[in-house]
Amino acid sequence: MRRIEEAVFKALMVISLFIVLGSLLAVILVVVIRGAPALTLSMVTQVPQGGFYLGKEGGILNAIIGSLYVATGATLIAIVIALPFAWYLNQYAGKSRFADIFRAILDIATGVPSLLYGAFAFSIMLAIGAKTSLLWGILTIALFITPLLARSFDEVIQTVPFKLKEASFALGATRLETVLYVVSRQALPGILTGILLAFGRGIGDAASILFTAGYTDSIPTSLGDPVATLPLAIFFQLGSPIPAVQARAYASGIILLAIVLILSVVSRVLTKRYMKYVIK
Amino acid sequence: MDATESVAPEIRVRDLHVILEKREILKGISVEIPKNRITAIIGPSGCGKSTLLRCINRMIDLVEGASVTGEVLIGNVDALSPGIELTELRRRVGMISQTPNPLPMSIFDNIAFGPRIHGERDSKTLDATVSRCLKTVGLWNEVHERLYDPAAKLSIGQQQRLCLARALAMEPEVLLCDEITSALDPISAKHIESELLAIKNEYTIIFVTHILRQARRIADHVIFLYLGELVESGPAAEIFSSPKDPRTKEYLEGVFG
Amino acid sequence: MVRQKGIISRRYRDLIAERAVLIPAILVSVILIAMVIVFLDKASPIFITQPITTLLFSSSWHPLSGQFGFFPFISGTVWVTLLAMGITIPISILSAVYLAEYAHRRVRGVAQPLIDLLAGIPSVVFGLFGILLIVPLIKEQIAPLAGVNSSGYCVLAGGLVLAIMVFPIVISISYEVIRAVPTEMREAALALGATRWETVKFVVLRKALTGIIAAIILGFSRAFGETMAVLMVVGNVPIVPQSVFDPAYPIPALIANNYGEMMSIPAYDSALMFAALILFVIVVAFNILARIVLVRVYRKGV
Ligand SMILES: Nc1ncnc2c1ncn2[C@@H]1O[C@H](COP(=O)(O)OP(=O)(O)OP(=O)(O)O)[C@@H](O)[C@H]1O
Ligand SMILES: [Mg+2]
């Protein structure tokens, strides 16, 4: 009886894991198989030409570049805010209650759906009369990924052993020097992973910038221009009744997937590379 | 800094009380530590040896809620005075801890860390400092070809010598050594001992140890602590041959601790 | 001698940094509070014109004639989320237990990066997957099997897509808490003659339970707020779904599809902000709940 129960549950576990990994494979395979026929070089080298949305010439370079602009800008802003935030939590707040309160706030902010950050940013835009633009796209994504980033920085920095800080203080370093040159150094692999994850979230999110970034067929030349992004390009092309355009949506899906995949590989490589100075 | 600091950095501890979590850990310690000698602090586990050391470079500040009163004069600067520049104090008073704690960077950067944060930017000077300190601790021959390798790759014994070199790089006047050989193999421990002996004429070294034979080997001066009190202190020869206090005698005979 | 330049500036730099690092912490907090204020402010007109019970429990959604009954959207959200969690919870926990307790190191080494990868896939791609595989599958295979007609764009499609999206969240947190159960506890049970599974069931899972609950709550709040993937496969018809084969219109989809489009009807905008407020409040409540549970876990020292 005991044996049977164990065998049954073990089988269920294996099946579950297969379902999980299988669905991952299914997601990738389905998108790749259906998108591959429409994936041409011009997809990634051209902006939409006349009649693109009717199935004619062109590509989605505008959205690829747009996504990179938006995600890069947002990630930079997020780093500038999140890194000091994590320093504060781990170096300056000590064991004070403020650290607990700010961590709780961070947790809540992390859980707020990206859509709501978009709605919030759009409300502000309406209030001040701003137009949809690259700048607002960046700001909206930054709103959404900053808490994520701060939380992941906080988590890696918390794991930095106390004895390292002690060594640094004993050499006469100030708290700032300790956090800049010792703590951040030790946490570097984790910090890089966090940044790439946040960048990936920024590139993949559509709900937040639906209202704020606008959409355009050209590559933005200033922060005030509207900007197209990959997820929205997929979404809009899917809405077309023309099969050729829909097929391009699938191909755009491959491009988005490829970016995510590259990010995850780069993250692994970087982590390995910067692990070598880390004290275990 | 002002000229007065160049006066002998003989350490004078006066009526030092430390209270941690409502327990009095040090109960009014008064003792003098001679300049450019090795002073061993001995005593049973938990008697407050590490706490005493941590008062001298104010690492005790990292313990939340610690209350410290009294005076710790280094030269004629009171290490406990609230207005003191901690970074400068810790530059003057180097510390090596029980387990080696290399920083997450290369061998070179570990040693250059101290001078760098204290304002040294010139790369030639840094190179010179690094090689001088590595030579002093006898590590130069072992590592000079891989100065830019991670410090974490060194063996434990090498790491501890690196930590010693790192402290020396700040040109301190005092070195605090808290059981610095206890995590090492006998050979590495011997290395460290002989290096301390070689440099003792330039530094005031305070050395905590549980190994009486080690204290006998290297100490010029001995301080015996027991349950947070100073029982006896004096020249090593005197303490080891004719301790005045019965508790010292019992400890040396291995009755407790 | 080491140069002693700039001691004062070092100390001041540290003190300035102490103040400066507070700014981001306050900024993030202020933004969160500002969101509540903005949503409340913009939603207030609809509060004033309609009683909150009507808003929450009426099914009549006729924005043009000023009727804003959110019940179809609320039930759409609840249906899709519950279905997704019903699928996710057992599969994720079983997978996590397997990875933490049974799997060979090599299996773990393969599975973990893949699960991380799954976590990184953008929601639009999941939506695409839903449209390409799940929707036709439901339309042509599953619905006929159940003897109903369905376009495929329905609660079931939304639930399935969402379930896959939530897998990595629940799995990775559960895995962490299970691994955090001390080995001695397992050994104690095994030494008493328990089988592996009994050890897991009576010792490990019991010890990790609160952490797993927290993982589930976090997965829940993620599912609740997910927008694009669901929007793409769920049909977006403002009716109260009667079965999993009916279309639904969850709240996030409602906001995403309409906010900013109907500026000429101020009440509509206000209603959408009311919807945003509902989402916000529920997600925050779930997060606080998860936090309370997790704090209890840490106190108990799993
Ligand atoms: N952070 C702390 N909080 C509270 N009590 C502490 C703390 N650190 C040390 N103590 C207590 O202070 C007393 C002295 O500790 P200390 O580390 O100075 O002893 P020690 O003589 O160095 O012992 P050992 O030889 O074992 O290293 C001990 O009773 C210890 O329990
Ligand atoms: Mg000690």
Side-chain angles (χ1 to χ4, degrees), chain A residues 13-213:
Chain A
M13 288 177 201
V14 175
I15 293 170
S16 298
L17 190 59
F18 269 109
I19 292 175
V20 172
L21 299 181
S23 36
L24 168 72
L25 275 183
V27 172
I28 294 175
L29 281 182
V30 165
V31 173
V32 168
I33 291 171
R34 296 292 300 272
L39 187 63
T40 57
L41 195 62
S42 61
M43 278 287 286
V44 294
T45 56
Q46 288 182 14
V47 298
Q49 311 290 314
F52 177 71
Y53 298 102
L54 299 170
K56 299 243 175 63
E57 288 294 284
I60 51 157
L61 185 65
N62 58 327
I64 297 174
I65 302 284
S67 269
L68 292 176
Y69 280 174
V70 169
T72 308
T75 307
L76 289 179
I77 294 178
I79 293 171
V80 170
I81 300 173
L83 207 48
F85 196 159
W87 291 342
Y88 166 73
L89 289 176
N90 291 283
Q91 192 77 338
Y92 288 95
K95 289 198 178 75
S96 72
R97 292 190 56 200
F98 284 114
D100 284 344
I101 294 171
F102 281 125
R103 283 204 173 97
I105 288 174
L106 210 48
D107 269 2
I108 291 171
T110 314
V112 171
S114 63
L115 172 75
L116 294 187
Y117 285 109
F120 170 69
F122 186 59
S123 307
I124 304 281
M125 287 169 66
L126 287 179
I128 63 172
K131 283 210 298 278
T132 57
S133 65
L134 174 58
L135 176 68
W136 278 96
I138 289 176
L139 289 178
T140 315
I141 295 283
L143 276 181
F144 156 60
I145 62 176
T146 299
L148 294 174
L149 202 54
R151 204 161 174 273
S152 77
F153 286 165
D154 181 35
E155 262 164 30
V156 288
I157 291 182
Q158 273 186 49
T159 63
V160 172
F162 183 69
K163 67 168 193 178
L164 284 184
K165 290 195 208 176
E166 218 174 28
S168 170
F169 287 134
L171 290 167
T174 60
R175 293 172 296 179
L176 180 64
E177 287 156 356
T178 302
V179 81
L180 283 182
Y181 307 134
V182 177
V183 173
S184 299
R185 187 93 187 238
Q186 169 83 1
L188 191 60
I191 288 177
L192 290 175
T193 314
I195 291 174
L196 287 173
L197 272 178
F199 186 84
R201 289 297 287 271
I203 263 201
D205 198 70
S208 58
I209 46 171
L210 198 55
F211 316 121
T212 61

Side-chain angles (χ1 to χ4, degrees), chain C residues 61-73:
Chain C
W61 178 259
H62 300 293
L64 293 178
S65 49
Q67 290 179 312
F68 297 100
F70 276 97
F71 194 64
F73 306 99

Side-chain angles (χ1 to χ4, degrees), chain C residues 28 36 48 54 75 78 85 116 119 139 143 175 189 200 205 219 227 230:
Chain C
V28 171
V36 182
I48 294 164
T54 315
S75 50
V78 170
M85 294 314 287
D116 285 350
K139 183 181 176 189
Y175 175 80
V200 168
L205 283 184
T227 310
V230 179

Side-chain angles (χ1 to χ4, degrees), chain B residues 20-21 23 25 44-52 63 179 210:
Chain B
L20 290 179
E21 291 173 355
R23 260 182 61 215
I25 307 295
S45 189
C47 67
K49 304 182 294 292
S50 301
T51 308
L52 176 56
V63 181
E179 298 184 46
H210 274 289

